[in-house]
Amino acid sequence: MNLSVTEEQVMLKTMARDFLEKECPKTLVRELEESEKGYSPELWSKMAELGWLGMAYPEKYGGTGGGILDLAILYEEMGRALLPSPHLSTVVLCGLTILAVGSEAQKDEFLPKIAKGERVLALAWTEPNGGYGPESITVSAVPERDEYVINGTKLFVRDAHIADYLLCVARTKDGASPEEGITLFLVDAKSPGISLTPLVTTAGDKQFEVVFDKVRVPEWNLVGELHGGWSPLFKVIEKAAILQCAEMVGGGQYVTEISVDYAKTRVQYGTIIGVNQGVQWKCVDQSLIVDKGRAITYQTAGKIDQGLPATADVAVAQAFLSNEYPRCCWEGHQVFAGVAFTVDHDMQLYSRRAQTARVQLGDANFWNEVLARQLNL
Amino acid sequence: MDFRFTPEEEKWKQEAREFLKKEIPPDYMGEDAYDESTIEEAIAFSDQFRTKLGQKDWLAMSWPEPWSHKRTIIEQCIFGEELGYALAPWLSWGTALGTGASVLGYGTEEQKKRFVPPIRSGEQSYCLGWTETEAGSDMANLQMRAVRDGDDWVVNGQKIFNNDAHRVNGIWLACRTDPAARKHRGISIFVVDKELIEKGGVTIRRMWTMAGRTISEIFIDDVRIPSFNMIGEPNQAWYGALNNTKYLGVGPSSIMRTKRHLDMLVDFCQETKRNGEPLGKSPAIRNELAEFAISVGMERAIWWRENWERADREMKGITEVSRGGGVQPLAGQGTVLWGKEFVPYFYERALQMLGLYGQLKPGSKWAPLAGFLEQEWRDRPSNHAHGTPEIIRLVLATAGLGLPRR
């Protein structure tokens, strides 16, 4: 057993930290939250140049052949900086799905462009019923000659407004089990019949209601096997979840640092507030959440890269961080008290974004259930 | 043990309920349910509500005659529960009642005659002018200076995190009047009423919290406050008017406010289906809803017990309570701590039940229950106001249980 990271990975972390400290200050984060686009195309191009968009793709598709662990290191720094970008939607959720089960033609068409920063994609997965599992997929795709016609509503679709393509998770038949009969389609975002309504969220991130009204999609755009889309999709969702965990760990690390710093400098009653046990215990809790979260996240990312079974670990990591990362932010608020609850302070930038991460790729209850099934309950 | 109310008390409860049914619209979500475009409307409604209460002489129920029509503690509790459950506004008069209570406790007859009636009628409202950037938990560290000049005090300085300064017409202002004295010993308190504010020198700046609610900063530039407006002796406020509890009433029940929110959540879980089944059928959700109801029910029981004990002491003429060596009465501190720890936990868990929908703010399409739970979630960090839970625990541990101080 070897639980260390390589020298290259340490360099990747340092470089990412330096780059984001310079290119993604909190002023930009705030500006982008207020903006309609929600990301900076200039910064996205720079990320492409650094190889961040093709990191997990093979070289023949314009990538650098890295793994999920490499991406996790990157995601931790992106989480620390609160980088607003469509990386998770484009590179991971959609890109890794195309890589896993797309045709050669689809891989050739999409992956190099994604790696160069020339295409943005969004995954249209969850629906108004609010569930994450295959039984929650009701948007239908019906074959008609050489096309499929998609009807239904997707909800909480992140980055839909800037996407060139939507990867739509649709039901093509009612099978013997809910998994059977789900198919993935690449839908041109400019197709007639698609309408977007923005949702107003705690984090100010860009999520949408996407209505598909008789949207026609050529057969060519079907990704993977007809009726067999759920299983490969879920494997990608697991990878995305562990990367999101890394993002939460990065946020948690920063939150803990600023909370401890405040506890060491704030003076009340003639002394530093960190002298008080109540404050000390909170900072201890925060740092344990980050350390534990980092350990499970990196180990699981490593297992995934080794091709070992990792579903249970992903479930543990995500369920733990879904609750504990928001708690880490909460303890930060407790340490800061009055000074951090107005919009001027950076603390609430983290605590609000934690609300997306805790539910976006499955909430704690969902992953608890996944874990329970892994344990044969 | 008898938990029943008397027929008169039942009648009072009905009267309170009917009044609230008439004055509060059925879909009213509380005085904090506003955004930048609706805040003025929300403030106007609160003001109007306060005026109506003033017209019925129901604002200051804990003050003795002739200053108000005093009601028993049980009657105040009954009213408090009804106000809380109706989510009735109270921000613009809560502080005024504290100000009035202090004037009654420590003011001269002339001061009472001048300052108490406008509070009773609802015409005069106050916010606290205590907190400063370096005086939060450690309030005695406040620096705002009041310098004697003839018969006036000239005040300069800044207050911050003032709840509702922009919606009231007065400030209950704490200043340092003796910079040479040790912290607690150099503080005085002033009534800065409408008349004084209109003379100028007071600027209020509105700040927005992460919950989309407002608080404010108050800038005071060379404001002359007549010495008549100081309540109690100079430099004695910490030991008197600032820490007065004698005439403080029961006020709206925040426990019942939480109960109202819980009831809305329960209804929501009964009506909303996920994959064909009501949310309330999920064992995890049912279990948690039950736990919330237990916590609310327990807290309500303690609240009634503590208020009843206070009523009992009053009847027997006992005025001070000494517990664990501390002189400050600790009744109600446990419930206050519950409000700062359990209530944020409740909103945290309620959002967990909503899953993806918990992200949606008021005004968003698809936001469940008009997004109010999401906004309450964002407001959780305001739990530091009027004492952080950690300070309260410290007080409970030291003054309450006699554990050693650092």
Side-chain angles (χ1 to χ4, degrees):
Chain A
M1 175 174 274
N2 183 356
L3 299 179
S4 64
V5 290
T6 65
E7 247 181 67
E8 286 85 11
Q9 286 165 339
V10 172
M11 264 172 59
L12 173 62
K13 185 187 176 80
T14 315
M15 189 205 56
R17 170 86 52 108
D18 291 341
F19 176 79
L20 289 170
E21 257 169 23
K22 180 160 162 276
E23 299 288 338
C24 188
K26 295 296 187 286
T27 45
L28 181 67
V29 172
R30 288 168 185 278
E31 198 187 294
L32 291 175
E33 184 181 331
E34 296 303 312
S35 79
E36 205 200 299
K37 256 206 175 97
Y39 86 116
S40 159
E42 291 79 30
L43 185 50
W44 185 244
S45 300
K46 289 185 183 168
M47 287 162 64
E49 275 166 47
L50 287 171
W52 289 9
L53 307 188
M55 193 171 281
Y57 302 153
E59 279 176 29
K60 74 169 170 171
Y61 301 117
T64 50
I68 299 300
L69 182 54
D70 298 311
L71 274 176
I73 287 166
L74 194 61
Y75 266 78
E76 187 179 334
E77 292 309 308
M78 293 184 345
R80 179 191 179 85
L82 294 179
L83 172 69
S85 91
H87 196 287
L88 194 67
S89 304
T90 304
V91 175
V92 181
L93 287 164
C94 297
L96 288 183
T97 303
I98 296 170
L99 178 65
V101 291
S103 63
E104 270 317 300
Q106 287 167 338
K107 288 189 258 195
D108 282 333
E109 172 56 32
F110 282 89
L111 299 180
K113 290 194 173 77
I114 290 175
K116 280 193 241 159
E118 288 167 10
R119 264 216 186 125
V120 172
L121 283 84
L123 179 69
W125 164 32
T126 48
E127 301 186 6
N129 58 49
Y132 303 97
E135 65 287 341
S136 310
I137 306 298
T138 68
V139 164
S140 65
V142 174
E144 227 180 74
R145 287 186 296 275
D146 60 348
E147 286 177 321
Y148 281 83
V149 183
I150 300 181
N151 275 292
T153 303
K154 290 290 188 189
L155 200 58
F156 306 107
V157 181
R158 208 157 156 202
D159 300 325
H161 65 318
I162 50 175
D164 302 300
Y165 280 82
L166 299 166
L167 183 64
C168 182
V169 184
R171 184 163 288 288
T172 39
K173 86 165 181 205
D174 282 317
S177 71
E179 288 88 8
E180 208 188 307
I182 290 177
T183 309
L184 310 172
F185 294 91
L186 280 162
V187 183
D188 185 330
K190 293 194 264 348
S191 307
I194 296 182
S195 53
L196 266 51
T197 304
L199 300 174
V200 188
T201 65
T202 309
D205 57 334
K206 316 301 173 195
Q207 296 188 43
F208 292 81
E209 170 206 67
V210 180
V211 177
F212 292 84
D213 183 11
K214 302 195 212 46
V215 177
R216 301 184 155 272
V217 175
E219 246 171 4
W220 186 92
N221 293 36
L222 196 159
V223 180
E225 233 180 77
L226 177 65
H227 307 320
W230 180 258
S231 174
L233 174 71
F234 194 68
K235 286 202 181 62
V236 171
I237 285 169
E238 286 180 356
K239 291 177 179 173
I242 212 66
L243 292 175
Q244 181 174 251
C245 285
E247 210 174 30
M248 288 193 270
V249 168
Q253 174 68 32
Y254 185 76
V255 161
T256 305
E257 283 172 21
I258 59 175
S259 303
V260 170
D261 192 58
Y262 189 73
K264 287 181 181 167
T265 50
R266 170 69 168 171
V267 174
Q268 284 285 259
Y269 301 106
T271 189
I272 289 163
I273 65 170
V275 169
N276 298 294
Q277 272 188 319
V279 174
Q280 290 170 354
W281 288 332
K282 286 173 191 305
C283 295
V284 166
D285 276 353
Q286 286 176 299
S287 75
L288 285 175
I289 289 168
V290 173
D291 286 345
K292 286 191 225 175
R294 183 179 290 116
I296 185 91
T297 298
Y298 283 174
Q299 284 163 38
T300 306
K303 274 192 189 175
I304 291 174
D305 282 340
Q306 284 191 291
L308 296 168
T311 302
D313 299 273
V314 172
V316 167
Q318 180 72 74
F320 174 75
L321 284 166
S322 271
N323 282 324
E324 294 299 285
Y325 174 51
R327 188 164 82 86
C328 179
C329 291
W330 171 246
E331 299 296 12
H333 275 293
Q334 297 300 281
V335 171
F336 282 109
V339 77
F341 83 130
T342 58
V343 297
D344 320 319
H345 200 276
D346 289 345
M347 180 65 241
Q348 51 87 29
L349 293 175
Y350 288 84
S351 51
R352 282 187 296 113
R353 279 155 182 73
Q355 292 301 88
T356 307
R358 73 192 303 183
V359 292
Q360 196 189 192
L361 299 176
D363 62 7
N365 289 338
F366 173 74
W367 288 105
N368 278 357
E369 185 56 38
V370 168
L371 184 60
R373 278 192 233 143
Q374 288 287 301
L375 300 171
N376 291 317
L377 280 170
Chain B
M1 277 250 161
D2 186 353
F3 296 107
R4 292 170 304 174
F5 293 136
T6 65
E8 292 76 27
E9 285 164 349
E10 286 292 348
K11 218 173 124 221
W12 167 238
K13 183 158 120 180
Q14 281 319 304
E15 205 185 329
R17 225 169 245 196
E18 266 151 36
F19 170 80
L20 289 166
K21 197 159 159 214
K22 180 163 165 274
E23 299 301 334
I24 311 260
D27 59 351
Y28 185 69
M29 290 301 288
E31 65 186 330
D32 281 332
Y34 56 77
D35 59 28
E36 280 187 55
S37 65
T38 54
I39 184 174
E40 296 304 327
E41 197 184 301
I43 291 176
F45 181 78
S46 296
D47 282 346
Q48 181 210 90
F49 184 78
R50 183 182 79 241
T51 306
K52 295 235 162 97
L53 280 180
Q55 279 161 4
K56 288 187 97 68
D57 206 8
W58 285 1
L59 276 176
M61 290 182 193
S62 58
W63 297 351
E65 311 282 349
W67 306 107
S68 185
H69 174 54
K70 183 167 161 53
R71 290 185 182 266
T72 66
I73 286 185
I74 301 299
E75 284 172 333
Q76 290 176 50
C77 287
I78 290 170
F79 193 61
E81 285 212 326
E82 294 306 312
L83 279 178
Y85 198 76
L87 306 179
W90 79 281
L91 263 183
S92 74
W93 47 279
T95 305
L97 291 185
T99 306
S102 287
V103 174
L104 285 174
Y106 293 89
T108 62
E109 281 310 298
E110 282 71 36
Q111 286 174 326
K112 291 179 200 175
K113 285 194 184 119
R114 162 102 159 266
F115 298 127
V116 171
I119 299 174
R120 174 189 193 170
S121 68
E123 209 181 295
Q124 178 69 57
S125 55
Y126 289 92
C127 68
L128 290 180
W130 296 2
T131 304
E132 299 176 3
T133 53
E134 297 309 310
S137 295
D138 186 6
M139 208 199 107
N141 201 37
L142 65 90
Q143 301 300 316
M144 176 172 274
R145 283 287 278 128
V147 178
R148 191 82 195 229
D149 181 27
D151 200 36
D152 295 334
W153 292 84
V154 178
V155 182
N156 276 286
Q158 210 176 312
K159 296 290 182 187
I160 196 170
F161 301 140
N162 308 104
N163 206 355
D164 70 29
H166 48 272
R167 57 171 88 201
V168 298
N169 53 16
I171 309 170
W172 181 224
L173 189 71
C175 296
R176 187 159 297 285
T177 39
D178 184 355
R182 254 196 66 192
K183 261 168 49 167
H184 301 77
R185 295 177 211 224
I187 298 174
S188 304
I189 187 105
F190 295 96
V191 175
V192 179
D193 62 3
K194 194 163 64 169
E195 195 185 298
L196 255 189
I197 294 200
E198 274 161 13
K199 292 206 165 101
V202 177
T203 314
I204 294 170
R205 184 176 87 86
R206 181 178 276 175
M207 294 165 81
W208 289 90
T209 71
M210 60 186 278
R213 289 171 178 166
T214 55
I215 49 165
S216 38
E217 271 186 292
I218 304 176
F219 298 89
I220 304 218
D221 294 302
D222 281 337
V223 169
R224 292 194 150 263
I225 303 183
S227 56
F228 180 79
N229 288 46
M230 180 187 287
I231 306 300
E233 292 303 309
N235 307 312
Q236 293 302 304
W238 192 264
Y239 306 99
L242 266 180
N243 280 301
N244 159 75
T245 53
K246 186 168 177 204
Y247 294 111
L248 283 182
V250 169
S253 162
S254 58
I255 299 168
M256 291 308 277
R257 178 178 186 267
T258 304
K259 181 173 196 302
R260 177 74 184 278
H261 285 173
L262 174 59
D263 287 349
M264 288 167 153
L265 179 64
V266 168
D267 287 343
F268 178 80
C269 290
Q270 285 164 348
E271 289 154 11
T272 307
K273 293 197 171 157
R274 190 170 284 166
N275 293 322
E277 238 198 13
L279 281 177
K281 285 269 181 266
S282 149
I285 289 180
R286 294 156 75 81
N287 186 58
E288 207 144 31
L289 290 173
E291 281 182 38
F292 295 151
I294 290 168
S295 185
V296 167
M298 279 210 29
E299 205 61 31
R300 215 176 152 193
I302 292 166
W303 185 84
W304 276 104
R305 168 140 201 109
E306 300 226 343
N307 281 302
W308 180 87
E309 277 186 6
R310 186 182 162 191
D312 192 47
R313 281 196 304 272
E314 241 182 48
M315 222 173 53
K316 293 175 179 160
I318 302 167
T319 51
E320 293 287 333
V321 168
S322 201
R323 271 192 221 178
V327 179
Q328 183 82 328
L330 290 172
Q333 288 301 300
T335 300
V336 169
L337 187 63
W338 179 85
K340 292 166 183 287
E341 292 187 343
F342 172 76
V343 172
Y345 173 78
F346 166 65
Y347 294 117
E348 164 78 1
R349 298 307 300 162
L351 277 207
Q352 173 72 356
M353 287 178 191
L354 299 180
L356 284 160
Y357 283 90
Q359 302 172 92
L360 301 178
K361 291 171 74 166
S364 175
K365 190 174 177 187
W366 297 95
L369 292 165
F372 92 90
L373 284 172
E374 186 278 341
Q375 188 174 27
E376 292 297 338
W377 183 90
R378 274 184 289 128
D379 205 27
R380 288 146 72 245
S382 71
N383 73 331
H384 64 271
H386 299 281
T388 64
E390 293 74 34
I391 296 287
I392 292 174
R393 280 177 182 278
L394 190 67
V395 170
L396 285 172
T398 54
L401 300 175
L403 288 168
R405 293 203 67 125
R406 207 169 14 91

